[in-house]
Amino acid sequence: MSEAAPHLVVRGVSKKYGPTTVLDHIDLTIRRGELVTLLGPSGCGKTTLLRAIAGLAQPDTGKVELAGRDVTHVPPHKRNVGVVFQSYALFPHLTVAGNIAFGLKVRGAARREIDAAVERALSLVKLGHLAGRRISALSGGQQQRVALARAIAVEPDVLLFDEALSALDRKLREEMQVELRRLLQDVKATAIFVTHDQDEALTMSDRVAVMNKGRIEQLAEPRELYLRPASLFALNFVGLSTRIAGTVLAAGNGKVEVETKVGRFSALGNFQAGSPVIVAARPEQLRIGEQSEANTAAGRVRSVVFQGSRTLVDVDAGAGESLLAELSGRDGKIPIVHDEIRLSWPVTETFAFPMEAQA
Amino acid sequence: MARAAIAFCWVMAIGLALFLIAPLLVIAAASFSPTPVFDLPLTGASTRWYGKIGRLDGFWPSLLLSLQIALLSTAISLISGTLAAIAIARGKLPGADIFATALVSPLMMPGLVLGIALLQGFRAVGFTAPWATLLVAHLVITLPYVARTMIAGLSRFDFTLIEAARTLGCTYPGSVLRVMVPALAPSFLIAGIFSFLASFDNYPVSIFLADVRTKTLPIRMLQYIEEAPDPTLAALSTLILLGTVILLFVSDRVVGLHRMAGTSD
Ligand SMILES: Nc1ncnc2c1ncn2[C@@H]1O[C@H](COP(=O)(O)OP(=O)(O)OP(=O)(O)O)[C@@H](O)[C@H]1O
Ligand SMILES: [Mg+2]
């Protein structure tokens, strides 16, 4: 099968629990070997989508295709998916090796084959020395690795991770993010991660699906998601931004002129004149002083937060609006609190979003 | 000061343990008595009383009956009690707490009250077959032990284990058998042992339901002691004690005695 062929296809999947719509016509296509993250706030339906893919929850409508096979009505034990649960769900009555061998045993694999697969999976997660341990005698990080090894050992068509790293402490989690990504690329796994941690999403994945209220708002590569958010929700959920409310004065050619309480701005977007909108820009686009083809606004510095390689400057622009600038050391002088400064940012990095979609 | 307090607690612990175990030691010693009265075998031991156990009047039928009732009621309780415990621990059953309390409540009732209540109840509905009434009554005795242990065990059971097994290739029933049953094995064992023992040595409930031909072992033993108190009874008690110790020892090997006593996890 070619690298680009669709490997997992979710088509129009909806699910209701009682009156609440948990999944609302989800479409998602994942290529073979791709690592995709479902990113969204608590309760947006990430786990439910994952369970629908694994066969643990039956969608009300729609289809799931895996490796060229329609699995919509196939029970979980015949789907060949690997799941790493948030609680790890390791079998307490079995050893590390017993847990990893479990999937192959129930598939009736031969003894020699099982032993070889267990050994391979253990060395992949660097736990060869713990094969005979009881699960209760493992640390959280080690349990996480066993859960991963158990899921990988059966060579599933897709690996599903439901907040698999969230139980680890921050440092370990950051190490595991990098290691896990490399490991999954090594074994050419197709994987979906569920998380509500944006850093994890940006670090781990080839593409990120931002979910909100049972829908996928945007599916894009991490860089594009950050630079070209498709909705106010996506903008807010990933990274920081300056946001100013206003009304469209004039529109045309994919650009709008917006009147706000702190000045008139140009932004990218298609709207009718008179629409209420939010004008937004990423903080690293804001500079002190003037630039050509730029929006500008002035205000008084409210706070300055030094963060090592960068400094975040929060500016009170009056009328309840604020500007957030991220200045690097090379930008020259860093202002101090109460300074009156003027900031500018390129029109091509200014976006307008419809007001009512505010989350 | 603190050391004195700790020393006092130690003395308490050792003293209480002796206080609990001493009668058992006495009866074991008395079973080797050389004379036909309950006597400590100070002048030479004899095992002849053990030989007489089997010749006690009506001993074998009573032993058989007690074993039957205990095993059967334990088995039925284990299955039905576990299913009920699943509903309570897992299902979003309205009023689960009330059901849980109801299932465990016979534990808090005096055996005599329970016995009279069951006798009256069975009479009222015309249910008088002695063997069957005994079995049903012993279900009432054993179910609370099973329910209590299994509700506790299940409340600690992570049901995502079953989902994990399913995604690894197990059918739903297969997952229950391969994952839930072994993970709950310690609870099953504990529930089974306590329920078996509670049934096997029950006197106050059984006495109301037994008749001349249907006497459980504890009833029979009390009758022996009234008729002819000799060390045969001590010998029998010692054997029962030995059986219990072996049972507990084996279980300890399997799951750990501290877990059974509930003194640690
Ligand atoms: N079995 C269920 N019965 C009823 N409602 C459910 C069930 N499972 C999930 N829900 C509801 O569906 C919604 C989405 O749940 P889901 O677990 O998919 O969210 P999530 O995005 O994974 O959230 P989190 O980040 O908190 O894990 C929630 O409002 C939840 O209450
Ligand atoms: Mg979730």
Side-chain angles (χ1 to χ4, degrees), chain A residues 143-177:
Chain A
Q143 292 188 15
Q144 210 282 326
R145 286 159 193 263
V146 176
L148 174 65
R150 183 178 70 179
I152 286 182
V154 296
E155 298 182 3
D157 287 324
V158 62
L159 271 166
L160 308 173
F161 296 81
D162 193 356
E163 316 218 3
L165 301 181
S166 66
L168 304 179
D169 68 56
R170 194 187 146 140
K171 190 167 170 330
L172 192 56
R173 189 166 68 228
E174 284 171 0
E175 284 170 18
M176 275 306 285
Q177 285 169 8

PDB file of all heavy atoms in Angstrom, chain A residues 143-177:
ATOM      1  N   GLN A 143       4.927   1.698  33.795  1.00  0.00           N
ATOM      2  CA  GLN A 143       3.615   1.155  33.425  1.00  0.00           C
ATOM      3  C   GLN A 143       3.189   1.687  32.065  1.00  0.00           C
ATOM      4  O   GLN A 143       2.629   0.961  31.245  1.00  0.00           O
ATOM      5  CB  GLN A 143       2.577   1.527  34.479  1.00  0.00           C
ATOM      6  CG  GLN A 143       2.824   0.842  35.802  1.00  0.00           C
ATOM      7  CD  GLN A 143       1.700   1.061  36.795  1.00  0.00           C
ATOM      8  OE1 GLN A 143       0.622   1.489  36.428  1.00  0.00           O
ATOM      9  NE2 GLN A 143       1.955   0.781  38.039  1.00  0.00           N
ATOM     10  N   GLN A 144       3.452   2.967  31.854  1.00  0.00           N
ATOM     11  CA  GLN A 144       3.115   3.581  30.580  1.00  0.00           C
ATOM     12  C   GLN A 144       3.799   2.833  29.443  1.00  0.00           C
ATOM     13  O   GLN A 144       3.200   2.543  28.400  1.00  0.00           O
ATOM     14  CB  GLN A 144       3.558   5.040  30.642  1.00  0.00           C
ATOM     15  CG  GLN A 144       2.729   5.994  29.815  1.00  0.00           C
ATOM     16  CD  GLN A 144       3.073   5.910  28.374  1.00  0.00           C
ATOM     17  OE1 GLN A 144       4.221   5.681  28.029  1.00  0.00           O
ATOM     18  NE2 GLN A 144       2.065   6.064  27.535  1.00  0.00           N
ATOM     19  N   ARG A 145       5.072   2.495  29.639  1.00  0.00           N
ATOM     20  CA  ARG A 145       5.817   1.785  28.596  1.00  0.00           C
ATOM     21  C   ARG A 145       5.276   0.389  28.370  1.00  0.00           C
ATOM     22  O   ARG A 145       5.227  -0.091  27.240  1.00  0.00           O
ATOM     23  CB  ARG A 145       7.297   1.685  28.983  1.00  0.00           C
ATOM     24  CG  ARG A 145       8.031   2.989  28.850  1.00  0.00           C
ATOM     25  CD  ARG A 145       9.300   2.974  29.698  1.00  0.00           C
ATOM     26  NE  ARG A 145       9.829   4.319  29.813  1.00  0.00           N
ATOM     27  CZ  ARG A 145      10.804   4.784  29.044  1.00  0.00           C
ATOM     28  NH1 ARG A 145      11.340   4.008  28.133  1.00  0.00           N
ATOM     29  NH2 ARG A 145      11.229   6.008  29.181  1.00  0.00           N
ATOM     30  N   VAL A 146       4.886  -0.272  29.463  1.00  0.00           N
ATOM     31  CA  VAL A 146       4.329  -1.621  29.310  1.00  0.00           C
ATOM     32  C   VAL A 146       3.029  -1.550  28.505  1.00  0.00           C
ATOM     33  O   VAL A 146       2.779  -2.353  27.610  1.00  0.00           O
ATOM     34  CB  VAL A 146       4.075  -2.282  30.678  1.00  0.00           C
ATOM     35  CG1 VAL A 146       3.404  -3.638  30.495  1.00  0.00           C
ATOM     36  CG2 VAL A 146       5.375  -2.442  31.434  1.00  0.00           C
ATOM     37  N   ALA A 147       2.206  -0.542  28.820  1.00  0.00           N
ATOM     38  CA  ALA A 147       0.941  -0.391  28.097  1.00  0.00           C
ATOM     39  C   ALA A 147       1.208  -0.187  26.610  1.00  0.00           C
ATOM     40  O   ALA A 147       0.530  -0.755  25.746  1.00  0.00           O
ATOM     41  CB  ALA A 147       0.152   0.786  28.664  1.00  0.00           C
ATOM     42  N   LEU A 148       2.231   0.595  26.317  1.00  0.00           N
ATOM     43  CA  LEU A 148       2.596   0.839  24.921  1.00  0.00           C
ATOM     44  C   LEU A 148       3.089  -0.452  24.262  1.00  0.00           C
ATOM     45  O   LEU A 148       2.662  -0.810  23.163  1.00  0.00           O
ATOM     46  CB  LEU A 148       3.674   1.923  24.873  1.00  0.00           C
ATOM     47  CG  LEU A 148       4.282   2.205  23.512  1.00  0.00           C
ATOM     48  CD1 LEU A 148       3.217   2.771  22.591  1.00  0.00           C
ATOM     49  CD2 LEU A 148       5.444   3.181  23.639  1.00  0.00           C
ATOM     50  N   ALA A 149       3.970  -1.164  24.979  1.00  0.00           N
ATOM     51  CA  ALA A 149       4.513  -2.410  24.431  1.00  0.00           C
ATOM     52  C   ALA A 149       3.402  -3.424  24.174  1.00  0.00           C
ATOM     53  O   ALA A 149       3.388  -4.112  23.157  1.00  0.00           O
ATOM     54  CB  ALA A 149       5.543  -2.990  25.400  1.00  0.00           C
ATOM     55  N   ARG A 150       2.437  -3.473  25.099  1.00  0.00           N
ATOM     56  CA  ARG A 150       1.330  -4.414  24.938  1.00  0.00           C
ATOM     57  C   ARG A 150       0.518  -4.088  23.689  1.00  0.00           C
ATOM     58  O   ARG A 150       0.100  -4.981  22.959  1.00  0.00           O
ATOM     59  CB  ARG A 150       0.433  -4.360  26.178  1.00  0.00           C
ATOM     60  CG  ARG A 150      -0.706  -5.335  26.140  1.00  0.00           C
ATOM     61  CD  ARG A 150      -1.545  -5.286  27.394  1.00  0.00           C
ATOM     62  NE  ARG A 150      -2.313  -4.056  27.483  1.00  0.00           N
ATOM     63  CZ  ARG A 150      -3.154  -3.772  28.485  1.00  0.00           C
ATOM     64  NH1 ARG A 150      -3.301  -4.631  29.475  1.00  0.00           N
ATOM     65  NH2 ARG A 150      -3.815  -2.643  28.502  1.00  0.00           N
ATOM     66  N   ALA A 151       0.307  -2.789  23.455  1.00  0.00           N
ATOM     67  CA  ALA A 151      -0.483  -2.398  22.293  1.00  0.00           C
ATOM     68  C   ALA A 151       0.282  -2.637  20.994  1.00  0.00           C
ATOM     69  O   ALA A 151      -0.288  -3.044  19.979  1.00  0.00           O
ATOM     70  CB  ALA A 151      -0.887  -0.932  22.406  1.00  0.00           C
ATOM     71  N   ILE A 152       1.593  -2.405  21.024  1.00  0.00           N
ATOM     72  CA  ILE A 152       2.394  -2.554  19.807  1.00  0.00           C
ATOM     73  C   ILE A 152       2.608  -4.017  19.438  1.00  0.00           C
ATOM     74  O   ILE A 152       2.681  -4.369  18.271  1.00  0.00           O
ATOM     75  CB  ILE A 152       3.773  -1.856  19.999  1.00  0.00           C
ATOM     76  CG1 ILE A 152       3.594  -0.342  19.946  1.00  0.00           C
ATOM     77  CG2 ILE A 152       4.756  -2.302  18.938  1.00  0.00           C
ATOM     78  CD1 ILE A 152       4.895   0.418  20.085  1.00  0.00           C
ATOM     79  N   ALA A 153       2.673  -4.887  20.475  1.00  0.00           N
ATOM     80  CA  ALA A 153       3.050  -6.282  20.250  1.00  0.00           C
ATOM     81  C   ALA A 153       2.144  -6.997  19.257  1.00  0.00           C
ATOM     82  O   ALA A 153       2.578  -7.897  18.552  1.00  0.00           O
ATOM     83  CB  ALA A 153       3.056  -7.038  21.584  1.00  0.00           C
ATOM     84  N   VAL A 154       0.876  -6.600  19.179  1.00  0.00           N
ATOM     85  CA  VAL A 154      -0.038  -7.292  18.272  1.00  0.00           C
ATOM     86  C   VAL A 154      -0.003  -6.687  16.866  1.00  0.00           C
ATOM     87  O   VAL A 154      -0.763  -7.091  15.995  1.00  0.00           O
ATOM     88  CB  VAL A 154      -1.493  -7.272  18.799  1.00  0.00           C
ATOM     89  CG1 VAL A 154      -1.593  -8.034  20.102  1.00  0.00           C
ATOM     90  CG2 VAL A 154      -1.993  -5.848  18.978  1.00  0.00           C
ATOM     91  N   GLU A 155       0.893  -5.738  16.641  1.00  0.00           N
ATOM     92  CA  GLU A 155       1.018  -5.071  15.356  1.00  0.00           C
ATOM     93  C   GLU A 155      -0.324  -4.602  14.826  1.00  0.00           C
ATOM     94  O   GLU A 155      -0.800  -5.044  13.783  1.00  0.00           O
ATOM     95  CB  GLU A 155       1.715  -5.996  14.350  1.00  0.00           C
ATOM     96  CG  GLU A 155       3.120  -6.328  14.816  1.00  0.00           C
ATOM     97  CD  GLU A 155       3.885  -7.210  13.833  1.00  0.00           C
ATOM     98  OE1 GLU A 155       3.331  -7.514  12.764  1.00  0.00           O
ATOM     99  OE2 GLU A 155       5.022  -7.576  14.145  1.00  0.00           O
ATOM    100  N   PRO A 156      -0.942  -3.670  15.553  1.00  0.00           N
ATOM    101  CA  PRO A 156      -2.272  -3.202  15.162  1.00  0.00           C
ATOM    102  C   PRO A 156      -2.210  -2.302  13.920  1.00  0.00           C
ATOM    103  O   PRO A 156      -1.153  -1.757  13.609  1.00  0.00           O
ATOM    104  CB  PRO A 156      -2.723  -2.394  16.379  1.00  0.00           C
ATOM    105  CG  PRO A 156      -1.460  -1.907  16.984  1.00  0.00           C
ATOM    106  CD  PRO A 156      -0.440  -2.979  16.751  1.00  0.00           C
ATOM    107  N   ASP A 157      -3.354  -2.171  13.253  1.00  0.00           N
ATOM    108  CA  ASP A 157      -3.414  -1.289  12.087  1.00  0.00           C
ATOM    109  C   ASP A 157      -3.359   0.173  12.501  1.00  0.00           C
ATOM    110  O   ASP A 157      -2.899   1.024  11.748  1.00  0.00           O
ATOM    111  CB  ASP A 157      -4.709  -1.547  11.300  1.00  0.00           C
ATOM    112  CG  ASP A 157      -4.636  -2.874  10.560  1.00  0.00           C
ATOM    113  OD1 ASP A 157      -3.535  -3.210  10.094  1.00  0.00           O
ATOM    114  OD2 ASP A 157      -5.658  -3.570  10.471  1.00  0.00           O
ATOM    115  N   VAL A 158      -3.875   0.461  13.690  1.00  0.00           N
ATOM    116  CA  VAL A 158      -3.773   1.830  14.194  1.00  0.00           C
ATOM    117  C   VAL A 158      -3.634   1.798  15.717  1.00  0.00           C
ATOM    118  O   VAL A 158      -4.189   0.920  16.378  1.00  0.00           O
ATOM    119  CB  VAL A 158      -4.998   2.683  13.770  1.00  0.00           C
ATOM    120  CG1 VAL A 158      -6.286   2.132  14.346  1.00  0.00           C
ATOM    121  CG2 VAL A 158      -4.824   4.146  14.179  1.00  0.00           C
ATOM    122  N   LEU A 159      -2.824   2.709  16.241  1.00  0.00           N
ATOM    123  CA  LEU A 159      -2.631   2.811  17.687  1.00  0.00           C
ATOM    124  C   LEU A 159      -3.392   4.021  18.198  1.00  0.00           C
ATOM    125  O   LEU A 159      -3.280   5.106  17.637  1.00  0.00           O
ATOM    126  CB  LEU A 159      -1.144   3.011  17.999  1.00  0.00           C
ATOM    127  CG  LEU A 159      -0.304   1.767  18.195  1.00  0.00           C
ATOM    128  CD1 LEU A 159       1.172   2.142  18.160  1.00  0.00           C
ATOM    129  CD2 LEU A 159      -0.630   1.088  19.513  1.00  0.00           C
ATOM    130  N   LEU A 160      -4.153   3.822  19.251  1.00  0.00           N
ATOM    131  CA  LEU A 160      -4.956   4.915  19.799  1.00  0.00           C
ATOM    132  C   LEU A 160      -4.480   5.220  21.222  1.00  0.00           C
ATOM    133  O   LEU A 160      -4.377   4.316  22.041  1.00  0.00           O
ATOM    134  CB  LEU A 160      -6.438   4.516  19.807  1.00  0.00           C
ATOM    135  CG  LEU A 160      -6.987   3.999  18.475  1.00  0.00           C
ATOM    136  CD1 LEU A 160      -8.412   3.473  18.653  1.00  0.00           C
ATOM    137  CD2 LEU A 160      -6.961   5.089  17.425  1.00  0.00           C
ATOM    138  N   PHE A 161      -4.196   6.470  21.489  1.00  0.00           N
ATOM    139  CA  PHE A 161      -3.701   6.878  22.813  1.00  0.00           C
ATOM    140  C   PHE A 161      -4.689   7.850  23.424  1.00  0.00           C
ATOM    141  O   PHE A 161      -4.853   8.955  22.922  1.00  0.00           O
ATOM    142  CB  PHE A 161      -2.355   7.599  22.706  1.00  0.00           C
ATOM    143  CG  PHE A 161      -1.239   6.742  22.188  1.00  0.00           C
ATOM    144  CD1 PHE A 161      -1.083   6.519  20.832  1.00  0.00           C
ATOM    145  CD2 PHE A 161      -0.329   6.171  23.062  1.00  0.00           C
ATOM    146  CE1 PHE A 161      -0.043   5.736  20.359  1.00  0.00           C
ATOM    147  CE2 PHE A 161       0.715   5.388  22.600  1.00  0.00           C
ATOM    148  CZ  PHE A 161       0.859   5.169  21.236  1.00  0.00           C
ATOM    149  N   ASP A 162      -5.333   7.467  24.520  1.00  0.00           N
ATOM    150  CA  ASP A 162      -6.255   8.392  25.174  1.00  0.00           C
ATOM    151  C   ASP A 162      -5.564   9.047  26.369  1.00  0.00           C
ATOM    152  O   ASP A 162      -5.492   8.472  27.442  1.00  0.00           O
ATOM    153  CB  ASP A 162      -7.524   7.680  25.625  1.00  0.00           C
ATOM    154  CG  ASP A 162      -8.604   8.674  26.017  1.00  0.00           C
ATOM    155  OD1 ASP A 162      -8.324   9.893  26.010  1.00  0.00           O
ATOM    156  OD2 ASP A 162      -9.721   8.246  26.329  1.00  0.00           O
ATOM    157  N   GLU A 163      -5.049  10.257  26.170  1.00  0.00           N
ATOM    158  CA  GLU A 163      -4.353  10.994  27.229  1.00  0.00           C
ATOM    159  C   GLU A 163      -3.347  10.090  27.918  1.00  0.00           C
ATOM    160  O   GLU A 163      -3.256  10.059  29.144  1.00  0.00           O
ATOM    161  CB  GLU A 163      -5.354  11.553  28.240  1.00  0.00           C
ATOM    162  CG  GLU A 163      -6.542  12.156  27.559  1.00  0.00           C
ATOM    163  CD  GLU A 163      -7.045  13.410  28.235  1.00  0.00           C
ATOM    164  OE1 GLU A 163      -6.441  13.865  29.203  1.00  0.00           O
ATOM    165  OE2 GLU A 163      -8.041  13.953  27.746  1.00  0.00           O
ATOM    166  N   ALA A 164      -2.602   9.364  27.095  1.00  0.00           N
ATOM    167  CA  ALA A 164      -1.744   8.315  27.636  1.00  0.00           C
ATOM    168  C   ALA A 164      -0.604   8.869  28.473  1.00  0.00           C
ATOM    169  O   ALA A 164      -0.026   8.152  29.269  1.00  0.00           O
ATOM    170  CB  ALA A 164      -1.184   7.471  26.493  1.00  0.00           C
ATOM    171  N   LEU A 165      -0.266  10.137  28.294  1.00  0.00           N
ATOM    172  CA  LEU A 165       0.873  10.680  29.024  1.00  0.00           C
ATOM    173  C   LEU A 165       0.460  11.565  30.182  1.00  0.00           C
ATOM    174  O   LEU A 165       1.287  12.027  30.946  1.00  0.00           O
ATOM    175  CB  LEU A 165       1.761  11.500  28.071  1.00  0.00           C
ATOM    176  CG  LEU A 165       2.325  10.743  26.876  1.00  0.00           C
ATOM    177  CD1 LEU A 165       3.195  11.652  26.027  1.00  0.00           C
ATOM    178  CD2 LEU A 165       3.127   9.537  27.329  1.00  0.00           C
ATOM    179  N   SER A 166      -0.842  11.799  30.328  1.00  0.00           N
ATOM    180  CA  SER A 166      -1.257  12.846  31.260  1.00  0.00           C
ATOM    181  C   SER A 166      -1.029  12.479  32.716  1.00  0.00           C
ATOM    182  O   SER A 166      -1.005  13.345  33.577  1.00  0.00           O
ATOM    183  CB  SER A 166      -2.718  13.209  31.036  1.00  0.00           C
ATOM    184  OG  SER A 166      -3.530  12.120  31.360  1.00  0.00           O
ATOM    185  N   ALA A 167      -0.848  11.186  33.013  1.00  0.00           N
ATOM    186  CA  ALA A 167      -0.639  10.802  34.410  1.00  0.00           C
ATOM    187  C   ALA A 167       0.827  10.940  34.827  1.00  0.00           C
ATOM    188  O   ALA A 167       1.151  10.759  35.981  1.00  0.00           O
ATOM    189  CB  ALA A 167      -1.126   9.377  34.646  1.00  0.00           C
ATOM    190  N   LEU A 168       1.686  11.238  33.869  1.00  0.00           N
ATOM    191  CA  LEU A 168       3.111  11.355  34.204  1.00  0.00           C
ATOM    192  C   LEU A 168       3.433  12.776  34.644  1.00  0.00           C
ATOM    193  O   LEU A 168       2.746  13.717  34.270  1.00  0.00           O
ATOM    194  CB  LEU A 168       3.959  11.018  32.969  1.00  0.00           C
ATOM    195  CG  LEU A 168       3.709   9.656  32.335  1.00  0.00           C
ATOM    196  CD1 LEU A 168       4.585   9.479  31.126  1.00  0.00           C
ATOM    197  CD2 LEU A 168       3.952   8.548  33.339  1.00  0.00           C
ATOM    198  N   ASP A 169       4.498  12.929  35.445  1.00  0.00           N
ATOM    199  CA  ASP A 169       4.842  14.301  35.825  1.00  0.00           C
ATOM    200  C   ASP A 169       5.470  15.005  34.626  1.00  0.00           C
ATOM    201  O   ASP A 169       5.877  14.401  33.648  1.00  0.00           O
ATOM    202  CB  ASP A 169       5.736  14.332  37.068  1.00  0.00           C
ATOM    203  CG  ASP A 169       7.108  13.773  36.797  1.00  0.00           C
ATOM    204  OD1 ASP A 169       7.789  14.261  35.882  1.00  0.00           O
ATOM    205  OD2 ASP A 169       7.501  12.823  37.501  1.00  0.00           O
ATOM    206  N   ARG A 170       5.558  16.323  34.726  1.00  0.00           N
ATOM    207  CA  ARG A 170       5.834  17.144  33.563  1.00  0.00           C
ATOM    208  C   ARG A 170       7.130  16.783  32.840  1.00  0.00           C
ATOM    209  O   ARG A 170       7.166  16.645  31.618  1.00  0.00           O
ATOM    210  CB  ARG A 170       5.877  18.602  34.013  1.00  0.00           C
ATOM    211  CG  ARG A 170       5.819  19.539  32.864  1.00  0.00           C
ATOM    212  CD  ARG A 170       6.026  20.944  33.343  1.00  0.00           C
ATOM    213  NE  ARG A 170       6.730  21.635  32.292  1.00  0.00           N
ATOM    214  CZ  ARG A 170       6.463  22.872  31.934  1.00  0.00           C
ATOM    215  NH1 ARG A 170       5.549  23.539  32.562  1.00  0.00           N
ATOM    216  NH2 ARG A 170       7.131  23.433  30.965  1.00  0.00           N
ATOM    217  N   LYS A 171       8.178  16.589  33.605  1.00  0.00           N
ATOM    218  CA  LYS A 171       9.468  16.336  32.983  1.00  0.00           C
ATOM    219  C   LYS A 171       9.459  15.010  32.231  1.00  0.00           C
ATOM    220  O   LYS A 171       9.853  14.929  31.073  1.00  0.00           O
ATOM    221  CB  LYS A 171      10.541  16.315  34.076  1.00  0.00           C
ATOM    222  CG  LYS A 171      11.955  16.294  33.558  1.00  0.00           C
ATOM    223  CD  LYS A 171      12.916  16.589  34.694  1.00  0.00           C
ATOM    224  CE  LYS A 171      14.368  16.363  34.345  1.00  0.00           C
ATOM    225  NZ  LYS A 171      14.644  15.349  33.379  1.00  0.00           N
ATOM    226  N   LEU A 172       8.937  13.981  32.918  1.00  0.00           N
ATOM    227  CA  LEU A 172       8.858  12.660  32.303  1.00  0.00           C
ATOM    228  C   LEU A 172       7.971  12.708  31.067  1.00  0.00           C
ATOM    229  O   LEU A 172       8.244  12.076  30.047  1.00  0.00           O
ATOM    230  CB  LEU A 172       8.291  11.672  33.337  1.00  0.00           C
ATOM    231  CG  LEU A 172       8.394  10.189  32.991  1.00  0.00           C
ATOM    232  CD1 LEU A 172       9.827   9.819  32.711  1.00  0.00           C
ATOM    233  CD2 LEU A 172       7.858   9.361  34.147  1.00  0.00           C
ATOM    234  N   ARG A 173       6.903  13.489  31.169  1.00  0.00           N
ATOM    235  CA  ARG A 173       5.958  13.585  30.059  1.00  0.00           C
ATOM    236  C   ARG A 173       6.641  14.181  28.829  1.00  0.00           C
ATOM    237  O   ARG A 173       6.505  13.677  27.725  1.00  0.00           O
ATOM    238  CB  ARG A 173       4.769  14.455  30.468  1.00  0.00           C
ATOM    239  CG  ARG A 173       3.640  14.441  29.463  1.00  0.00           C
ATOM    240  CD  ARG A 173       2.379  15.010  30.037  1.00  0.00           C
ATOM    241  NE  ARG A 173       2.486  16.432  30.280  1.00  0.00           N
ATOM    242  CZ  ARG A 173       2.132  17.027  31.407  1.00  0.00           C
ATOM    243  NH1 ARG A 173       1.649  16.314  32.404  1.00  0.00           N
ATOM    244  NH2 ARG A 173       2.257  18.322  31.546  1.00  0.00           N
ATOM    245  N   GLU A 174       7.437  15.213  29.045  1.00  0.00           N
ATOM    246  CA  GLU A 174       8.109  15.854  27.913  1.00  0.00           C
ATOM    247  C   GLU A 174       9.127  14.913  27.281  1.00  0.00           C
ATOM    248  O   GLU A 174       9.261  14.850  26.059  1.00  0.00           O
ATOM    249  CB  GLU A 174       8.751  17.165  28.356  1.00  0.00           C
ATOM    250  CG  GLU A 174       7.690  18.236  28.527  1.00  0.00           C
ATOM    251  CD  GLU A 174       8.210  19.516  29.177  1.00  0.00           C
ATOM    252  OE1 GLU A 174       9.415  19.578  29.503  1.00  0.00           O
ATOM    253  OE2 GLU A 174       7.397  20.439  29.345  1.00  0.00           O
ATOM    254  N   GLU A 175       9.819  14.130  28.137  1.00  0.00           N
ATOM    255  CA  GLU A 175      10.763  13.154  27.593  1.00  0.00           C
ATOM    256  C   GLU A 175      10.029  12.099  26.778  1.00  0.00           C
ATOM    257  O   GLU A 175      10.452  11.724  25.686  1.00  0.00           O
ATOM    258  CB  GLU A 175      11.526  12.466  28.726  1.00  0.00           C
ATOM    259  CG  GLU A 175      12.615  13.318  29.335  1.00  0.00           C
ATOM    260  CD  GLU A 175      13.188  12.698  30.600  1.00  0.00           C
ATOM    261  OE1 GLU A 175      12.979  11.466  30.806  1.00  0.00           O
ATOM    262  OE2 GLU A 175      13.803  13.425  31.366  1.00  0.00           O
ATOM    263  N   MET A 176       8.913  11.630  27.348  1.00  0.00           N
ATOM    264  CA  MET A 176       8.156  10.562  26.673  1.00  0.00           C
ATOM    265  C   MET A 176       7.575  11.037  25.346  1.00  0.00           C
ATOM    266  O   MET A 176       7.477  10.271  24.402  1.00  0.00           O
ATOM    267  CB  MET A 176       7.016  10.059  27.575  1.00  0.00           C
ATOM    268  CG  MET A 176       7.410   8.983  28.577  1.00  0.00           C
ATOM    269  SD  MET A 176       8.217   7.561  27.846  1.00  0.00           S
ATOM    270  CE  MET A 176       6.843   6.717  27.073  1.00  0.00           C
ATOM    271  N   GLN A 177       7.178  12.313  25.271  1.00  0.00           N
ATOM    272  CA  GLN A 177       6.626  12.836  24.023  1.00  0.00           C
ATOM    273  C   GLN A 177       7.624  12.652  22.888  1.00  0.00           C
ATOM    274  O   GLN A 177       7.289  12.125  21.825  1.00  0.00           O
ATOM    275  CB  GLN A 177       6.291  14.327  24.176  1.00  0.00           C
ATOM    276  CG  GLN A 177       5.037  14.583  24.987  1.00  0.00           C
ATOM    277  CD  GLN A 177       4.889  16.056  25.348  1.00  0.00           C
ATOM    278  OE1 GLN A 177       5.635  16.904  24.885  1.00  0.00           O
ATOM    279  NE2 GLN A 177       3.917  16.357  26.188  1.00  0.00           N
TER     280      GLN A 177
END
